[in-house]
Amino acid sequence: MSIVQQLIEKLQKGDAKSVAELTRQAIDQNMGPKKILDDGLLAGMAVVGEKFKKHEIFLPHVLLAARAMYAGLDLLKPLLAKDGIPVIGKVVLGTVQGDLHDIGKNLVGIMLKGAGYEVIDLGKDVPPERFLDAAQESGATIVGMSALLTTTMPVMKQVIDLAKERDMFGTLKFLVGGAPLSVDYAREIGADAYCFDGVNAVECVKSFTVER
Ligand code: B1M
């Protein structure tokens, strides 16, 4: 079995130690970091995402797989930068105030980083002004917000309204996601895109499918 196939298998099993070892081996064999990422780690995560969607695996498996992915990604990060994968944009990312669900947001962050974006991850329970301050400080042009609770969804609108007040609305693109959201809700609050998963978030960031 090739190293990338082994990576895909071990990542699915959430075996962080083996994923780190295999990633190290692949690096030592001069496999390019982009190939290790795309054909190994991201391919493994894509299988995990599909299985999770079909209820073939459950949340603890997703968490373990994500941890294994980080074990490999940590080794690749410096090489990816050296390999000249250009930072194609900066994204401020966080779970909105009052909401402690950060697993989906973290997966989105991984996918965006893998696609070449610099991610400024503000964590969870992030107050509205923090999103905008971070964008201003970092020069990011994209703000990504996650919410998993119907009670915290309205915080996204508060962020966008605050951007309008601060005259930042025209210069920022707002990307929203999380299980209770929808395209209609994204439109209603003035967001530029609603994304249903990490892969889709990358596509959304690239194309911004929801029109204002
Ligand atoms: Co809570 N929880 N939870 N929870 N929790 C839900 C969300 C819930 C649906 C469970 C249920 O009742 N069936 C329900 C919400 C109901 C609602 O409002 N609609 C709920 C509740 C009610 C609560 C509490 C209020 C429970 C209580 O205390 N009574 C409480 C609230 C705490 C708070 O946030 N203030 C609570 C707490 C928790 C834990 C802390 C125990 C834990 C979170 C741990 C953590 O995140 N570190 C937790 C969990 C794990 C869940 C479930 C089981 C799983 C969520 C998850 O991580 N899914 C969830 C039930 C469920 O969804 N089946 C539930 C996996 C993750 C990969 O998917 O987050 O959807 P998801 O992310 C996806 C997409 O949505 C999308 O991409 C991701 C990858 O595919 N996406 C984005 C997400 N963000 C995006 C951003 C983007 C783009 C795409 O761009 C920026």
Side-chain angles (χ1 to χ4, degrees), residues 49 52-53 55 58-59 62-63 91-109 111-112 124-125 131 142-153 156 174-181 193-202 204-205:
F52 184 62
K53 212 184 275 176
H55 307 291
F58 300 98
L59 198 57
V62 179
L63 276 175
V91 183
V92 165
L93 186 65
T95 302
V96 296
Q97 191 164 44
D99 203 321
L100 303 177
H101 297 86
D102 64 356
I103 299 165
K105 183 266 299 169
N106 289 341
L107 287 178
V108 169
M111 296 303 179
L112 285 171
K124 55 198 172 191
D125 194 15
F131 282 99
I142 302 158
V143 174
M145 296 181 275
S146 180
L148 264 285
L149 299 171
T150 42
T151 49
T152 56
M153 284 160 58
M156 294 173 161
F174 290 94
L175 163 76
V176 295
L181 301 182
Y194 157 73
C195 304
F196 53 84
D197 67 13
V199 175
N200 182 229
V202 173
C204 285
V205 165

Side-chain angles (χ1 to χ4, degrees), residues 7-79:
L7 263 177
I8 292 170
E9 201 183 287
K10 296 295 182 190
L11 190 138
Q12 283 182 63
K13 288 185 177 152
D15 184 347
K17 192 165 171 266
S18 297
V19 167
E21 275 166 17
L22 286 162
T23 303
R24 171 59 58 207
Q25 268 180 44
I27 294 167
D28 291 346
Q29 288 179 18
N30 288 326
M31 195 182 287
K34 183 87 168 64
K35 185 173 168 58
I36 304 170
L37 180 68
D38 286 348
D39 298 354
L41 301 181
L42 289 182
M45 275 312 280
V47 179
V48 169
E50 276 306 310
K51 286 190 174 175
F52 184 62
K53 212 184 275 176
K54 289 185 200 154
H55 307 291
E56 288 170 15
I57 57 169
F58 300 98
L59 198 57
H61 304 109
V62 179
L63 276 175
L64 287 172
R67 205 185 57 175
M69 161 114 189
Y70 277 121
L73 197 59
D74 282 347
L75 296 170
L76 291 182
K77 267 184 208 160
L79 300 171

Side-chain angles (χ1 to χ4, degrees), residues 132 157-170 172 174 187-191 212:
L132 301 180
K157 183 170 184 314
Q158 288 175 25
V159 176
I160 293 172
D161 288 348
L162 188 62
K164 288 175 183 166
E165 270 173 41
R166 289 192 185 180
D167 221 6
M168 293 172 76
F169 185 60
L172 294 174
F174 290 94
R187 280 210 184 94
E188 193 184 307
I189 64 173
R212 273 196 184 132

